[in-house]
Amino acid sequence: MSGEKDQLRLQQLMAPDLRPETYVYCTFEDHSLPVDLSPICTFRESEGLTAIVERSQAVRAKVPYIFEAKLITLTVHSSLEAIGFLAMISSALANAGIPCNAVAAFHHDHLFIPVDRADDAFSLLEALSQSSAPAVI
């Protein structure tokens, strides 16, 4: 199954799920991940390997980190070819003054929101999903 592409259906079916864990961003210049880390996501950049891990893992492994965030997963199966969905979500959050780092994975879109704004972001996303009108970018 390739996922939903219609922006209004994505908005109405997104069913945001706020995870209780706190996640952080770490980077490893040598592109080598410490064995005691189990990241939720990694990305290889020329400057180093970025890893998003639970804060407790980073603390235990004594690795530096930044950006303490909560994870909100949009549980609708969104197509990787959907047009404008993440733009709509990030615009709505930006209009509310809420930073967001988005990761599009195979089945779902995932949003990393600063810990102190996660509840606000979750409420905003729930309100959007209950709206019958398309969100304006």
Side-chain angles (χ1 to χ4, degrees), residues 73-104:
T73 296
L74 306 178
T75 62
V76 63
H77 182 180
S78 57
S79 169
L80 290 167
E81 297 177 359
I83 297 171
F85 181 53
L86 277 177
M88 180 269 298
I89 295 296
S90 60
S91 292
L93 292 168
N95 288 338
I98 301 172
C100 167
N101 287 286
V103 174

PDB file of all heavy atoms in Angstrom, residues 73-104:
ATOM      1  N   THR A  73       3.763  11.465  16.423  1.00  0.00           N
ATOM      2  CA  THR A  73       3.629  10.711  15.179  1.00  0.00           C
ATOM      3  C   THR A  73       2.242  10.956  14.615  1.00  0.00           C
ATOM      4  O   THR A  73       1.246  10.871  15.338  1.00  0.00           O
ATOM      5  CB  THR A  73       3.842   9.204  15.433  1.00  0.00           C
ATOM      6  OG1 THR A  73       5.185   9.007  15.878  1.00  0.00           O
ATOM      7  CG2 THR A  73       3.595   8.382  14.178  1.00  0.00           C
ATOM      8  N   LEU A  74       2.193  11.288  13.336  1.00  0.00           N
ATOM      9  CA  LEU A  74       0.920  11.423  12.635  1.00  0.00           C
ATOM     10  C   LEU A  74       0.615  10.023  12.099  1.00  0.00           C
ATOM     11  O   LEU A  74       1.264   9.556  11.167  1.00  0.00           O
ATOM     12  CB  LEU A  74       1.025  12.466  11.526  1.00  0.00           C
ATOM     13  CG  LEU A  74       1.553  13.827  12.005  1.00  0.00           C
ATOM     14  CD1 LEU A  74       1.676  14.797  10.843  1.00  0.00           C
ATOM     15  CD2 LEU A  74       0.675  14.397  13.110  1.00  0.00           C
ATOM     16  N   THR A  75      -0.348   9.336  12.719  1.00  0.00           N
ATOM     17  CA  THR A  75      -0.505   7.900  12.514  1.00  0.00           C
ATOM     18  C   THR A  75      -1.188   7.511  11.206  1.00  0.00           C
ATOM     19  O   THR A  75      -1.243   6.326  10.881  1.00  0.00           O
ATOM     20  CB  THR A  75      -1.233   7.250  13.703  1.00  0.00           C
ATOM     21  OG1 THR A  75      -2.539   7.811  13.812  1.00  0.00           O
ATOM     22  CG2 THR A  75      -0.445   7.455  14.996  1.00  0.00           C
ATOM     23  N   VAL A  76      -1.669   8.478  10.441  1.00  0.00           N
ATOM     24  CA  VAL A  76      -2.204   8.159   9.122  1.00  0.00           C
ATOM     25  C   VAL A  76      -1.053   7.665   8.246  1.00  0.00           C
ATOM     26  O   VAL A  76       0.067   8.156   8.351  1.00  0.00           O
ATOM     27  CB  VAL A  76      -2.899   9.389   8.474  1.00  0.00           C
ATOM     28  CG1 VAL A  76      -1.924  10.532   8.232  1.00  0.00           C
ATOM     29  CG2 VAL A  76      -3.605   9.005   7.187  1.00  0.00           C
ATOM     30  N   HIS A  77      -1.320   6.664   7.409  1.00  0.00           N
ATOM     31  CA  HIS A  77      -0.295   6.189   6.473  1.00  0.00           C
ATOM     32  C   HIS A  77      -0.245   7.173   5.308  1.00  0.00           C
ATOM     33  O   HIS A  77      -1.039   7.098   4.381  1.00  0.00           O
ATOM     34  CB  HIS A  77      -0.617   4.783   5.990  1.00  0.00           C
ATOM     35  CG  HIS A  77       0.425   4.227   5.064  1.00  0.00           C
ATOM     36  ND1 HIS A  77       0.333   2.985   4.514  1.00  0.00           N
ATOM     37  CD2 HIS A  77       1.591   4.736   4.590  1.00  0.00           C
ATOM     38  CE1 HIS A  77       1.378   2.748   3.743  1.00  0.00           C
ATOM     39  NE2 HIS A  77       2.149   3.807   3.768  1.00  0.00           N
ATOM     40  N   SER A  78       0.701   8.092   5.381  1.00  0.00           N
ATOM     41  CA  SER A  78       0.843   9.112   4.349  1.00  0.00           C
ATOM     42  C   SER A  78       1.785   8.628   3.257  1.00  0.00           C
ATOM     43  O   SER A  78       2.801   7.998   3.533  1.00  0.00           O
ATOM     44  CB  SER A  78       1.371  10.417   4.963  1.00  0.00           C
ATOM     45  OG  SER A  78       2.590  10.192   5.623  1.00  0.00           O
ATOM     46  N   SER A  79       1.421   8.934   2.037  1.00  0.00           N
ATOM     47  CA  SER A  79       2.274   8.591   0.910  1.00  0.00           C
ATOM     48  C   SER A  79       3.517   9.465   0.923  1.00  0.00           C
ATOM     49  O   SER A  79       3.458  10.653   1.256  1.00  0.00           O
ATOM     50  CB  SER A  79       1.519   8.818  -0.412  1.00  0.00           C
ATOM     51  OG  SER A  79       2.397   8.724  -1.514  1.00  0.00           O
ATOM     52  N   LEU A  80       4.637   8.890   0.531  1.00  0.00           N
ATOM     53  CA  LEU A  80       5.856   9.678   0.385  1.00  0.00           C
ATOM     54  C   LEU A  80       5.733  10.654  -0.781  1.00  0.00           C
ATOM     55  O   LEU A  80       6.550  11.555  -0.920  1.00  0.00           O
ATOM     56  CB  LEU A  80       7.065   8.755   0.206  1.00  0.00           C
ATOM     57  CG  LEU A  80       7.451   7.976   1.465  1.00  0.00           C
ATOM     58  CD1 LEU A  80       8.435   6.864   1.126  1.00  0.00           C
ATOM     59  CD2 LEU A  80       8.023   8.903   2.521  1.00  0.00           C
ATOM     60  N   GLU A  81       4.705  10.498  -1.592  1.00  0.00           N
ATOM     61  CA  GLU A  81       4.453  11.394  -2.721  1.00  0.00           C
ATOM     62  C   GLU A  81       3.326  12.388  -2.446  1.00  0.00           C
ATOM     63  O   GLU A  81       2.906  13.119  -3.341  1.00  0.00           O
ATOM     64  CB  GLU A  81       4.138  10.581  -3.971  1.00  0.00           C
ATOM     65  CG  GLU A  81       5.301   9.709  -4.408  1.00  0.00           C
ATOM     66  CD  GLU A  81       4.972   8.839  -5.608  1.00  0.00           C
ATOM     67  OE1 GLU A  81       3.828   8.884  -6.106  1.00  0.00           O
ATOM     68  OE2 GLU A  81       5.867   8.105  -6.048  1.00  0.00           O
ATOM     69  N   ALA A  82       2.829  12.430  -1.213  1.00  0.00           N
ATOM     70  CA  ALA A  82       1.779  13.392  -0.863  1.00  0.00           C
ATOM     71  C   ALA A  82       2.330  14.807  -1.011  1.00  0.00           C
ATOM     72  O   ALA A  82       3.458  15.088  -0.606  1.00  0.00           O
ATOM     73  CB  ALA A  82       1.296  13.146   0.565  1.00  0.00           C
ATOM     74  N   ILE A  83       1.529  15.672  -1.585  1.00  0.00           N
ATOM     75  CA  ILE A  83       1.967  17.047  -1.846  1.00  0.00           C
ATOM     76  C   ILE A  83       1.360  17.990  -0.812  1.00  0.00           C
ATOM     77  O   ILE A  83       0.140  18.057  -0.660  1.00  0.00           O
ATOM     78  CB  ILE A  83       1.563  17.488  -3.263  1.00  0.00           C
ATOM     79  CG1 ILE A  83       2.269  16.608  -4.291  1.00  0.00           C
ATOM     80  CG2 ILE A  83       1.891  18.961  -3.494  1.00  0.00           C
ATOM     81  CD1 ILE A  83       1.791  16.797  -5.710  1.00  0.00           C
ATOM     82  N   GLY A  84       2.222  18.698  -0.094  1.00  0.00           N
ATOM     83  CA  GLY A  84       1.782  19.769   0.783  1.00  0.00           C
ATOM     84  C   GLY A  84       1.390  19.402   2.194  1.00  0.00           C
ATOM     85  O   GLY A  84       1.125  20.292   2.999  1.00  0.00           O
ATOM     86  N   PHE A  85       1.346  18.123   2.536  1.00  0.00           N
ATOM     87  CA  PHE A  85       0.895  17.748   3.880  1.00  0.00           C
ATOM     88  C   PHE A  85       1.834  18.265   4.960  1.00  0.00           C
ATOM     89  O   PHE A  85       1.406  18.963   5.880  1.00  0.00           O
ATOM     90  CB  PHE A  85       0.726  16.223   3.972  1.00  0.00           C
ATOM     91  CG  PHE A  85       0.234  15.746   5.313  1.00  0.00           C
ATOM     92  CD1 PHE A  85      -0.912  16.276   5.884  1.00  0.00           C
ATOM     93  CD2 PHE A  85       0.908  14.744   5.998  1.00  0.00           C
ATOM     94  CE1 PHE A  85      -1.374  15.836   7.125  1.00  0.00           C
ATOM     95  CE2 PHE A  85       0.457  14.287   7.226  1.00  0.00           C
ATOM     96  CZ  PHE A  85      -0.683  14.834   7.792  1.00  0.00           C
ATOM     97  N   LEU A  86       3.108  17.955   4.849  1.00  0.00           N
ATOM     98  CA  LEU A  86       4.044  18.454   5.863  1.00  0.00           C
ATOM     99  C   LEU A  86       4.185  19.970   5.813  1.00  0.00           C
ATOM    100  O   LEU A  86       4.398  20.608   6.845  1.00  0.00           O
ATOM    101  CB  LEU A  86       5.412  17.781   5.733  1.00  0.00           C
ATOM    102  CG  LEU A  86       5.521  16.419   6.406  1.00  0.00           C
ATOM    103  CD1 LEU A  86       6.886  15.797   6.168  1.00  0.00           C
ATOM    104  CD2 LEU A  86       5.227  16.497   7.885  1.00  0.00           C
ATOM    105  N   ALA A  87       4.020  20.554   4.644  1.00  0.00           N
ATOM    106  CA  ALA A  87       4.054  22.019   4.541  1.00  0.00           C
ATOM    107  C   ALA A  87       2.888  22.618   5.324  1.00  0.00           C
ATOM    108  O   ALA A  87       3.046  23.610   6.040  1.00  0.00           O
ATOM    109  CB  ALA A  87       3.998  22.456   3.077  1.00  0.00           C
ATOM    110  N   MET A  88       1.715  22.021   5.218  1.00  0.00           N
ATOM    111  CA  MET A  88       0.541  22.482   5.955  1.00  0.00           C
ATOM    112  C   MET A  88       0.754  22.343   7.457  1.00  0.00           C
ATOM    113  O   MET A  88       0.490  23.265   8.230  1.00  0.00           O
ATOM    114  CB  MET A  88      -0.695  21.697   5.504  1.00  0.00           C
ATOM    115  CG  MET A  88      -1.979  22.082   6.208  1.00  0.00           C
ATOM    116  SD  MET A  88      -2.366  21.123   7.703  1.00  0.00           S
ATOM    117  CE  MET A  88      -2.539  19.483   7.055  1.00  0.00           C
ATOM    118  N   ILE A  89       1.284  21.201   7.870  1.00  0.00           N
ATOM    119  CA  ILE A  89       1.519  20.948   9.292  1.00  0.00           C
ATOM    120  C   ILE A  89       2.555  21.930   9.837  1.00  0.00           C
ATOM    121  O   ILE A  89       2.342  22.576  10.868  1.00  0.00           O
ATOM    122  CB  ILE A  89       2.001  19.497   9.517  1.00  0.00           C
ATOM    123  CG1 ILE A  89       0.921  18.490   9.129  1.00  0.00           C
ATOM    124  CG2 ILE A  89       2.473  19.289  10.946  1.00  0.00           C
ATOM    125  CD1 ILE A  89      -0.336  18.532   9.943  1.00  0.00           C
ATOM    126  N   SER A  90       3.685  22.047   9.152  1.00  0.00           N
ATOM    127  CA  SER A  90       4.749  22.933   9.648  1.00  0.00           C
ATOM    128  C   SER A  90       4.310  24.390   9.617  1.00  0.00           C
ATOM    129  O   SER A  90       4.682  25.165  10.500  1.00  0.00           O
ATOM    130  CB  SER A  90       6.057  22.719   8.886  1.00  0.00           C
ATOM    131  OG  SER A  90       5.891  22.991   7.520  1.00  0.00           O
ATOM    132  N   SER A  91       3.496  24.789   8.635  1.00  0.00           N
ATOM    133  CA  SER A  91       2.981  26.168   8.590  1.00  0.00           C
ATOM    134  C   SER A  91       2.045  26.444   9.762  1.00  0.00           C
ATOM    135  O   SER A  91       2.114  27.512  10.380  1.00  0.00           O
ATOM    136  CB  SER A  91       2.247  26.431   7.272  1.00  0.00           C
ATOM    137  OG  SER A  91       3.147  26.431   6.199  1.00  0.00           O
ATOM    138  N   ALA A  92       1.171  25.494  10.060  1.00  0.00           N
ATOM    139  CA  ALA A  92       0.250  25.666  11.187  1.00  0.00           C
ATOM    140  C   ALA A  92       1.037  25.796  12.495  1.00  0.00           C
ATOM    141  O   ALA A  92       0.721  26.649  13.336  1.00  0.00           O
ATOM    142  CB  ALA A  92      -0.725  24.498  11.260  1.00  0.00           C
ATOM    143  N   LEU A  93       2.051  24.969  12.668  1.00  0.00           N
ATOM    144  CA  LEU A  93       2.874  25.047  13.870  1.00  0.00           C
ATOM    145  C   LEU A  93       3.670  26.351  13.902  1.00  0.00           C
ATOM    146  O   LEU A  93       3.753  27.015  14.940  1.00  0.00           O
ATOM    147  CB  LEU A  93       3.817  23.846  13.950  1.00  0.00           C
ATOM    148  CG  LEU A  93       3.127  22.494  14.200  1.00  0.00           C
ATOM    149  CD1 LEU A  93       4.088  21.343  13.960  1.00  0.00           C
ATOM    150  CD2 LEU A  93       2.539  22.427  15.597  1.00  0.00           C
ATOM    151  N   ALA A  94       4.221  26.753  12.761  1.00  0.00           N
ATOM    152  CA  ALA A  94       4.982  28.013  12.694  1.00  0.00           C
ATOM    153  C   ALA A  94       4.098  29.204  13.026  1.00  0.00           C
ATOM    154  O   ALA A  94       4.520  30.110  13.754  1.00  0.00           O
ATOM    155  CB  ALA A  94       5.604  28.174  11.304  1.00  0.00           C
ATOM    156  N   ASN A  95       2.869  29.208  12.537  1.00  0.00           N
ATOM    157  CA  ASN A  95       1.941  30.308  12.827  1.00  0.00           C
ATOM    158  C   ASN A  95       1.630  30.403  14.315  1.00  0.00           C
ATOM    159  O   ASN A  95       1.286  31.475  14.815  1.00  0.00           O
ATOM    160  CB  ASN A  95       0.652  30.160  12.016  1.00  0.00           C
ATOM    161  CG  ASN A  95       0.861  30.452  10.549  1.00  0.00           C
ATOM    162  OD1 ASN A  95       1.802  31.137  10.160  1.00  0.00           O
ATOM    163  ND2 ASN A  95      -0.013  29.912   9.713  1.00  0.00           N
ATOM    164  N   ALA A  96       1.765  29.288  15.026  1.00  0.00           N
ATOM    165  CA  ALA A  96       1.551  29.266  16.472  1.00  0.00           C
ATOM    166  C   ALA A  96       2.869  29.475  17.231  1.00  0.00           C
ATOM    167  O   ALA A  96       2.895  29.396  18.453  1.00  0.00           O
ATOM    168  CB  ALA A  96       0.910  27.945  16.887  1.00  0.00           C
ATOM    169  N   GLY A  97       3.957  29.704  16.496  1.00  0.00           N
ATOM    170  CA  GLY A  97       5.254  29.923  17.134  1.00  0.00           C
ATOM    171  C   GLY A  97       5.882  28.666  17.700  1.00  0.00           C
ATOM    172  O   GLY A  97       6.658  28.725  18.652  1.00  0.00           O
ATOM    173  N   ILE A  98       5.558  27.516  17.113  1.00  0.00           N
ATOM    174  CA  ILE A  98       6.052  26.232  17.615  1.00  0.00           C
ATOM    175  C   ILE A  98       7.077  25.658  16.634  1.00  0.00           C
ATOM    176  O   ILE A  98       6.728  25.341  15.495  1.00  0.00           O
ATOM    177  CB  ILE A  98       4.896  25.230  17.810  1.00  0.00           C
ATOM    178  CG1 ILE A  98       3.858  25.787  18.787  1.00  0.00           C
ATOM    179  CG2 ILE A  98       5.430  23.873  18.281  1.00  0.00           C
ATOM    180  CD1 ILE A  98       2.595  24.960  18.893  1.00  0.00           C
ATOM    181  N   PRO A  99       8.336  25.499  17.065  1.00  0.00           N
ATOM    182  CA  PRO A  99       9.339  24.868  16.197  1.00  0.00           C
ATOM    183  C   PRO A  99       9.013  23.393  15.969  1.00  0.00           C
ATOM    184  O   PRO A  99       8.387  22.747  16.815  1.00  0.00           O
ATOM    185  CB  PRO A  99      10.644  24.998  16.984  1.00  0.00           C
ATOM    186  CG  PRO A  99      10.371  25.984  18.061  1.00  0.00           C
ATOM    187  CD  PRO A  99       8.905  25.945  18.333  1.00  0.00           C
ATOM    188  N   CYS A 100       9.452  22.885  14.834  1.00  0.00           N
ATOM    189  CA  CYS A 100       9.172  21.496  14.487  1.00  0.00           C
ATOM    190  C   CYS A 100      10.287  20.961  13.605  1.00  0.00           C
ATOM    191  O   CYS A 100      10.696  21.619  12.650  1.00  0.00           O
ATOM    192  CB  CYS A 100       7.838  21.436  13.741  1.00  0.00           C
ATOM    193  SG  CYS A 100       7.504  19.880  12.930  1.00  0.00           S
ATOM    194  N   ASN A 101      10.759  19.776  13.912  1.00  0.00           N
ATOM    195  CA  ASN A 101      11.681  19.055  13.040  1.00  0.00           C
ATOM    196  C   ASN A 101      10.942  17.810  12.584  1.00  0.00           C
ATOM    197  O   ASN A 101      10.580  16.961  13.405  1.00  0.00           O
ATOM    198  CB  ASN A 101      12.971  18.689  13.788  1.00  0.00           C
ATOM    199  CG  ASN A 101      13.830  19.910  14.001  1.00  0.00           C
ATOM    200  OD1 ASN A 101      14.441  20.398  13.071  1.00  0.00           O
ATOM    201  ND2 ASN A 101      13.830  20.422  15.214  1.00  0.00           N
ATOM    202  N   ALA A 102      10.695  17.718  11.277  1.00  0.00           N
ATOM    203  CA  ALA A 102       9.884  16.638  10.720  1.00  0.00           C
ATOM    204  C   ALA A 102      10.760  15.568  10.088  1.00  0.00           C
ATOM    205  O   ALA A 102      11.784  15.866   9.466  1.00  0.00           O
ATOM    206  CB  ALA A 102       8.915  17.195   9.685  1.00  0.00           C
ATOM    207  N   VAL A 103      10.332  14.325  10.253  1.00  0.00           N
ATOM    208  CA  VAL A 103      10.966  13.185   9.606  1.00  0.00           C
ATOM    209  C   VAL A 103       9.858  12.406   8.904  1.00  0.00           C
ATOM    210  O   VAL A 103       8.903  11.963   9.546  1.00  0.00           O
ATOM    211  CB  VAL A 103      11.680  12.266  10.626  1.00  0.00           C
ATOM    212  CG1 VAL A 103      12.208  11.009   9.946  1.00  0.00           C
ATOM    213  CG2 VAL A 103      12.799  13.008  11.338  1.00  0.00           C
ATOM    214  N   ALA A 104       9.984  12.275   7.593  1.00  0.00           N
ATOM    215  CA  ALA A 104       9.040  11.460   6.835  1.00  0.00           C
ATOM    216  C   ALA A 104       9.619  10.057   6.728  1.00  0.00           C
ATOM    217  O   ALA A 104      10.707   9.871   6.181  1.00  0.00           O
ATOM    218  CB  ALA A 104       8.809  12.059   5.454  1.00  0.00           C
TER     219      ALA A 104
END
